[in-house]
Amino acid sequence: MTKSDVARPQIRPLKGLLVGCGFFARNHLHAWSETKGAEIAAVCDLDVERAGRYAEEFSIPQWHGTAEVLASGAFDFVDICTTMETHEALVALAVRHRVPVIVQKPFAPDIDTCRRIVANAKAAGVPVMVHENFRFQKIFRRIREILDSGEIGELTFGRLSWRNAIDVYSNQPYLLKTERFMIMDVGIHMLDLARFLFGDANAVSCLRQSVKEGLAGEDAATILLRHDNAATSIVDVSYASHRFPNPFPQTLGEIEGRLGSIQILEGETLLVHSEGRQRRETIEADGRNWTSDPWTQIQDSVPRTQQHFIDTLLSGGAFETSAEDSLQTYALAEAAYRSAESGRLVTTAEL
Ligand code: NAD
Ligand code: 89V
């Protein structure tokens, strides 16, 4: 999808509509207030009172009970912060009115739906980015720099582990009823990180677990990836891992190359091993007056993700997590579910 035809001179801030005034939208609205070159002109939610409350809290002039307001032509972009089963219809509505989109993860519940959304947007030439913010966390930008420096040599192995036992259900009760749960909720962050750090992958083996009683889907999964560059990686995620203190929301792990390795430790600390010695780096997320531990590391990544969207929209370049590129990430998630069902290694080519 070329965006050169959508590059635009910056005269006034781009005006956005935020759709979905729920749990995580607060972070989006705080982040938009510090995103250069953009402002939220209106919010909408099916629960129009809730939209009104958010508009008042964030001093936003307009609020609506439906996203059909996109037909007004008043918006330069739309930020969709609703749950995955609503994304196909909402993105299609934006595409119909030629409004560029940033849409929260999970992009959609399955690969066929993701592909339909991408084909529809591509046919209309409307830019769509998936709001996938873990790769925009400061620690992962630093790891990318170290890998690009060649300090640990050619990559051979990686492991990304996200394990804790926070009560995610109080803020996000819909997760109790979601059949495709942990792989789509947190696994997708890790699969995108695995592609960002270790390169594209072409085969997946996966085991799912449902540890907590009464869940419709899995709250833990262990995924093995075969990368195009012959590296192997493991992604393991769980909402049922009891650690004290709780490491939420940190991603831990290790990365190995032919000359050295990087350990991702608690406390946003990297231990880099190369040339026979080790070096320690701590990359703390930036706190703000609207962020609070333990969420700071995630909250800090939201304005970085949104700034990338706006800068790329204005420059006409390619989004890092474009809808089209994200098809490869969601193919890995799809392969993981199919592997868990079939008990065998699944290649992305067969999807
Ligand atoms: P939520 O259920 O709290 O909020 C969603 C809101 O959207 C609700 O108020 C609902 O009324 C509204 N809505 C649903 N369909 C709508 C429609 N067609 N038009 C207008 N409004 C509509 O959900 P949440 O927990 O805020 O999660 C939203 C998305 O953000 C999910 O996909 C979730 O996975 C994702 N999320 C991402 C992060 C992260 O980026 N790190 C963290 C938490 C949640
Ligand atoms: O990031 C997410 O998608 C959330 C989490 C609790 C991990 O932040 O579900």
Side-chain angles (χ1 to χ4, degrees):
M1 189 180 301
T2 59
K3 292 206 191 78
S4 53
D5 53 7
V6 297
R8 43 183 96 211
Q10 177 81 22
I11 299 138
R12 58 167 177 72
L14 296 182
K15 287 190 179 310
L17 169 71
L18 178 119
V19 179
C21 299
F23 163 64
F24 204 69
R26 252 185 191 35
N27 294 311
H28 285 219
L29 290 169
H30 280 300
W32 281 122
S33 65
E34 61 178 77
T35 302
K36 297 182 195 59
E39 63 184 19
I40 295 298
V43 294
C44 100
D45 194 290
L46 297 177
D47 176 340
V48 69
E49 260 108 56
R50 180 184 290 185
R53 287 197 299 276
Y54 273 51
E56 192 179 345
E57 181 184 343
F58 290 91
S59 312
I60 293 165
Q62 291 176 38
W63 65 95
H64 306 277
T66 169
E68 294 292 341
V69 68
L70 285 166
S72 67
F75 303 103
D76 302 303
F77 69 91
V78 59
D79 176 8
I80 298 173
C81 191
T82 58
T83 49
M84 64 181 173
E85 60 287 336
T86 67
H87 291 170
E88 182 170 20
L90 286 167
V91 175
L93 177 63
V95 166
R96 204 158 47 246
H97 299 296
R98 303 192 55 72
V99 178
V101 178
I102 179 168
V103 55
Q104 253 293 356
K105 52 63 56 183
F107 186 24
D110 56 69
I111 192 66
D112 292 341
T113 307
C114 292
R115 286 173 175 154
R116 276 198 309 273
I117 298 173
V118 169
N120 179 44
K122 194 171 182 178
V126 175
V128 179
M129 173 178 155
V130 177
H131 183 130
E132 176 44 71
N133 50 41
F134 271 45
R135 64 160 64 195
F136 289 96
Q137 290 176 10
K138 284 173 71 175
I139 195 165
F140 293 111
R141 306 314 275 194
R142 176 61 188 139
I143 292 173
R144 188 65 259 171
E145 282 173 1
I146 295 171
L147 294 176
D148 292 341
S149 75
E151 184 177 358
I152 71 165
E154 185 193 348
L155 200 99
T156 54
F157 172 80
R159 179 173 179 229
L160 296 170
S161 179
W162 199 92
R163 313 185 72 81
N164 58 67
I166 63 157
D167 166 19
V168 68
Y169 310 102
S170 54
N171 291 324
Q172 299 167 248
Y174 51 86
L175 295 174
L176 291 163
K177 300 193 296 302
T178 307
E179 273 182 32
R180 287 189 161 196
F181 170 17
M182 192 54 169
I183 295 171
M184 294 309 269
D185 185 52
V186 177
I188 206 71
H189 289 309
M190 299 298 117
L191 291 172
D192 180 70
L193 274 178
R195 289 187 58 230
F196 176 60
L197 299 173
F198 313 144
D200 288 336
N202 55 58
V204 179
S205 189
C206 172
L207 293 171
R208 298 165 76 187
Q209 295 170 278
S210 203
V211 179
K212 177 183 170 64
E213 302 291 325
L215 292 175
E218 79 286 353
D219 56 354
T222 306
I223 302 172
L224 184 61
L225 298 174
R226 181 180 67 197
H227 292 265
D228 298 356
N229 58 16
T232 295
S233 73
I234 300 172
V235 161
D236 60 275
V237 290
S238 172
Y239 272 130
S241 304
H242 302 285
R243 310 272 170 83
F244 307 101
N246 183 346
F248 175 88
Q250 298 172 79
T251 304
L252 309 179
E254 49 269 328
I255 305 170
E256 294 174 2
R258 293 187 185 286
L259 303 175
S261 60
I262 304 171
Q263 290 176 274
I264 312 171
L265 306 176
E266 287 198 32
E268 300 173 85
T269 296
L270 301 178
L271 207 48
V272 183
H273 304 261
S274 68
E275 290 156 1
R277 61 181 185 280
Q278 60 172 239
R279 159 180 107 252
R280 187 175 287 270
E281 290 187 22
T282 297
I283 298 103
E284 282 187 4
D286 296 345
R288 294 165 173 77
N289 61 9
W290 55 270
T291 63
S292 55
D293 287 341
W295 283 85
T296 306
Q297 191 180 35
I298 287 181
Q299 292 174 308
D300 174 46
S301 70
V302 178
R304 298 170 190 282
T305 308
Q306 294 176 178
Q307 192 66 62
H308 171 73
F309 172 70
I310 295 298
D311 293 349
T312 309
L313 201 54
L314 289 169
S315 70
F319 301 123
E320 277 194 30
T321 53
S322 68
E324 190 154 6
D325 176 79
S326 299
L327 286 180
Q328 296 193 55
T329 307
Y330 285 81
L332 297 177
E334 188 71 34
Y337 279 109
R338 305 229 184 143
S339 170
E341 274 143 37
S342 64
R344 63 174 180 79
L345 182 86
V346 173
T347 65
T348 51
E350 69 187 86
L351 297 178

